[in-house]
Amino acid sequence: MEILFYAAGANPDAWLTSIQQAIPDASIRVWQEGDHAPADVALVWKPPAAMLRGRTELKAIFNLGAGVDAILQLGEALPAGVPVVRLDDAGMGIQMAEFVAHAVLRYFRRLDAYAVQHQAQQWRFLKPFDKQTFSVGVLGMGVLGSRIAAALQHFDFPVLGWSRTQKNIPGMTCFSGADGLNTFLSQTRVLVCILPLTTETENILNHATLSALPRGAYVINVARGAHLVEADLLTLIQQEHIAGATLDVFREEPLPVTHPFWQEPRINITPHISALTLRDDSARQIAAKIKALQAGQPITGLVDPQRGY
Ligand code: NAP
Ligand code: GLV
């Protein structure tokens, strides 16, 4: 088994150790410019087009993350007919649940407002929000969205879900497609975006959709920066239609120091850390899928390039 590896911005040595442990008989090499030697599978994160162009010999391309937007945007450089496989959870679901539950609870329990009072040494009671009106709407009810939704149900928040195909989840109000979006938004107090980035979902958080949320709503984006029209969010925050936002992803990462988001105290910023790829968990999942493919068995996480996720 010859494995070709490339992960933008990652430490290849640590990855190679995890992969070798999970697949002891594999020979693994880090792709370098000009390497056209054959391989059986590729393990990649944000690969350059030159790495994959023409590699029709590959049995599969494994993405070292859940989102495959950076791979699919390679377009014709992606070898035709080679399956692309995304990570299914691999330890990201619990991280997403922790991150989003923390953000929702911070808003619901008014902890941001209490932090401001702390700075001013103010001991002052704030009227609590009514949980029944503090509904959380999750855009994207896949592997990660359903885990986030389940964590919020655990805290007894009313939870709504929106996806491409209709779901039926006990205790949750589910909507689907363009027809269901406006009703979903009108009933959502905290909007969580955990959609894949596709041509259909790019710019989905825009002036029209954010205005469809009730006044005083909050926005949490843990998916991709290109889902959000950043200027529209700023306008709606300044007009106090949106009360605050928690953003983990941005159109340009790292977020430039001159970006106006840094100056807006109602926006909480984190550097794309809501769910990190865990090396050992991911290597074990990929090893199990390679084994299944070799045995001719089906695997989960196959990407549909037409659908875009
Ligand atoms: P997934 O399992 O593929 O789920 C995607 C969900 O989005 C599905 O419910 C799908 O609907 C829905 N969807 C897709 N296109 C839609 C559309 N046009 N209209 C309505 N719903 C649509 O993906 P996942 O594993 O949950 O991951 C989601 C995304 O999270 C990734 O693509 C990645 O970009 C992002 N992510 C971010 C981080 C981070 O650290 N910030 C970490 C990991 C992942 P159906 O169920 O009907 O197919
Ligand atoms: C991270 O952003 C991922 O898509 O896994």
Side-chain angles (χ1 to χ4, degrees):
M1 163 73 44
E2 185 71 30
I3 296 180
L4 194 57
F5 174 88
Y6 178 92
N11 169 0
D13 295 337
W15 265 109
L16 264 45
T17 304
S18 296
I19 298 165
Q20 198 73 75
Q21 266 169 10
I23 318 172
D25 61 346
S27 155
I28 314 159
R29 68 179 198 273
V30 178
W31 182 81
Q32 314 274 358
E33 190 75 48
D35 175 350
H36 300 293
D40 296 303
V41 297
L43 272 55
V44 299
W45 179 245
K46 298 186 178 170
M51 176 189 181
L52 297 175
R53 182 174 277 118
R55 282 196 175 275
T56 47
E57 85 280 8
L58 292 172
K59 312 275 184 310
I61 298 168
F62 288 94
N63 184 45
L64 298 172
V68 290
D69 41 299
I71 294 190
L72 296 186
Q73 78 180 16
L74 296 179
E76 49 77 38
L78 262 187
V82 177
V84 174
V85 187
R86 41 69 57 89
L87 286 179
D88 295 309
D89 194 319
M92 284 188 272
I94 184 71
Q95 296 177 67
M96 274 297 179
E98 291 162 358
F99 186 96
V100 174
H102 176 270
V104 172
L105 290 169
R106 199 177 65 232
Y107 291 136
F108 176 62
R109 297 302 306 267
R110 309 194 69 168
L111 296 175
D112 276 359
Y114 282 116
V116 172
Q117 291 191 180
H118 178 151
Q119 291 307 315
Q121 294 180 298
Q122 268 181 348
W123 180 279
R124 191 155 63 90
F125 177 84
L126 298 172
K127 188 170 181 287
F129 291 125
D130 172 5
K131 191 171 261 181
Q132 282 323 302
T133 68
F134 220 83
S135 52
V136 184
V138 182
L139 285 171
M141 287 296 295
V143 173
L144 302 178
S146 53
R147 185 75 193 251
I148 291 169
L152 293 163
Q153 277 191 309
H154 180 76
F155 286 107
D156 292 346
F157 287 102
V159 179
L160 299 83
W162 184 73
S163 48
R164 198 175 49 82
T165 56
Q166 182 65 32
K167 314 277 180 238
N168 187 2
I169 302 171
M172 203 175 296
T173 315
C174 294
F175 300 85
S176 59
D179 292 349
L181 185 58
N182 260 333
T183 318
F184 163 89
L185 292 169
S186 68
Q187 296 177 14
T188 288
R189 177 72 181 272
V190 184
L191 182 67
V192 179
C193 178
I194 183 69
L195 288 163
L197 182 62
T198 68
T199 48
E200 285 180 20
T201 65
E202 187 171 1
N203 298 328
I204 193 166
L205 305 175
N206 57 45
H207 196 277
T209 53
L210 298 179
S211 299
L213 296 167
R215 193 170 178 81
Y218 297 89
V219 176
I220 299 172
N221 187 13
V222 283
R224 286 289 183 266
H227 288 123
L228 174 67
V229 182
E230 295 179 339
D232 290 354
L233 175 69
L234 270 178
T235 302
L236 288 165
I237 287 181
Q238 282 152 8
Q239 292 170 350
E240 297 183 354
H241 184 77
I242 300 294
T246 294
L247 306 178
D248 182 52
V249 285
F250 303 88
R251 286 184 178 263
E252 187 179 348
E253 295 179 2
L255 188 64
V257 285
T258 52
H259 197 289
F261 281 173
W262 291 112
Q263 304 306 324
E264 174 46 73
R266 289 163 288 188
I267 296 182
N268 292 99
I269 293 168
T270 48
H272 202 140
I273 49 75
S274 50
L276 302 171
T277 293
L278 304 178
R279 281 190 296 267
D280 289 344
D281 297 54
S282 306
R284 278 194 295 271
Q285 182 176 108
I286 291 168
K289 289 186 180 182
I290 290 175
K291 230 176 171 175
L293 286 175
Q294 285 171 329
Q297 291 162 355
I299 58 166
T300 57
L302 280 170
V303 172
D304 176 346
Q306 300 312 318
R307 220 175 47 169
Y309 68 101

